[in-house]
Amino acid sequence: MTNVSEARNRGSESTREVIVETALRLFRERGFDATTMRAIAAEAGVSVGNAYYYFESKEALIQAYYDRAQAEHEAACRDLLATESSFAARLDGVLREWVRVSEPYHEFAVKFFKHAAEPTNPLSPFSAQSSPAREASIAIYRQVVEGARDRMNSELREELPELLWLLSMGMVLFWVHDTSPGCARTYRLIEVTVPLVDRLVGLSHLPGLRGITKDFIAAVHELRA
């Protein structure tokens, strides 16, 4: 009985992956708006009802893409976060790994970005619907901070994971518009940005800058509320 259940689960997961892959391809080729669930089902070789069984809408398919991309990023960062102890090296590596694992989706991201950029769109990375992927991403940056041996202001350390995630959103925007070979300009942006962030974080514990750090954190709390 267990073997039958496991086989069914593997089959369900395989069907789910085929639908997601097909949807991403059609979104690239036809655009998100022009692609229907019926077209996705036909191309995936499943019934429309079956497609809706796995995904209630096109938006749910994008959320599945978010979840998968996030899982790939987590796996790619695992060894780095287990071995590196400096804040700069951990942040640099995590940002670079995101660009690397996202490279196959660059063409799709360019065409899809207008939807994710709309503040009220459920596909926005800031939406309630995107919360699981967002929280998982922030968790990676929490690992970056918690595993770093560098000295930093304790209050800033608490806020830093979400601030680093916001930084990564800026990197994503730059990456979407990056037409350089192999996204070389995005890698260069990481190369010049990380040392600046590292220096600012490292200075945060110094007596002369604690007041500025405290004012900055207060501003973050106010804007978040």
Side-chain angles (χ1 to χ4, degrees):
M1 197 69 179
T2 301
N3 291 337
V4 172
S5 178
E6 289 177 352
R8 286 175 178 171
N9 288 337
R10 286 195 298 271
S12 295
E13 191 59 34
S14 176
T15 301
R16 181 183 173 89
E17 283 299 309
V18 168
I19 294 172
V20 172
E21 287 291 344
T22 302
L24 293 178
R25 175 173 60 81
L26 292 180
F27 292 156
R28 284 196 303 268
E29 295 173 355
R30 306 179 186 181
F32 182 77
D33 291 331
T35 301
T36 64
M37 286 293 284
R38 183 174 295 277
I40 293 169
E43 289 285 328
V46 300
S47 68
V48 176
N50 205 18
Y52 275 111
Y53 171 79
Y54 288 100
F55 302 98
E56 63 183 16
S57 64
K58 292 190 297 182
E59 287 76 14
L61 279 160
I62 296 298
Q63 294 296 342
Y65 156 68
Y66 285 168
D67 292 341
R68 186 175 68 178
Q70 183 58 40
E72 290 175 0
H73 188 211
E74 289 176 10
C77 295
R78 195 166 293 130
D79 289 345
L80 166 81
L81 294 174
T83 56
E84 288 288 354
S85 60
S86 82
F87 173 73
R90 292 167 73 84
L91 178 58
D92 180 86
V94 165
L95 291 172
R96 287 177 179 275
E97 284 300 327
W98 185 90
V99 178
R100 186 183 66 79
V101 301
S102 299
E103 191 276 333
Y105 309 110
H106 191 252
E107 183 183 355
F108 162 70
V110 169
K111 294 182 179 180
F112 172 74
F113 181 74
K114 66 177 183 178
H115 300 283
E118 294 174 3
T120 58
N121 196 306
L123 299 178
S124 164
F126 298 92
S127 71
Q129 292 86 343
S130 298
S131 177
R134 180 173 63 250
E135 291 303 320
S137 184
I138 292 173
I140 290 182
Y141 292 101
R142 186 168 293 109
Q143 291 182 60
V144 168
V145 175
E146 291 178 351
R149 296 181 179 177
D150 307 59
R151 291 186 65 188
M152 62 183 75
N153 179 278
S154 59
E155 291 182 81
L156 180 62
R157 183 181 287 272
E158 291 295 317
E159 302 294 334
L160 205 49
E162 186 171 351
L163 295 174
L164 293 177
W165 176 76
L166 289 172
L167 171 68
S168 76
M169 290 295 97
M171 296 285 183
V172 170
L173 176 60
F174 188 90
W175 171 78
V176 165
H177 294 280
D178 188 359
T179 58
S180 62
C183 293
R185 293 177 66 233
T186 302
Y187 284 112
R188 177 56 180 160
L189 178 63
I190 294 171
E191 184 180 2
V192 299
T193 300
V194 169
L196 295 175
V197 174
D198 183 45
R199 286 163 63 187
L200 289 171
V201 169
L203 291 170
S204 66
H205 74 280
L206 297 179
L209 292 177
R210 285 176 186 165
I212 296 175
T213 302
K214 189 172 183 178
D215 290 344
F216 172 72
I217 293 171
V220 170
H221 288 169
E222 179 182 343
L223 293 171
R224 182 190 289 145

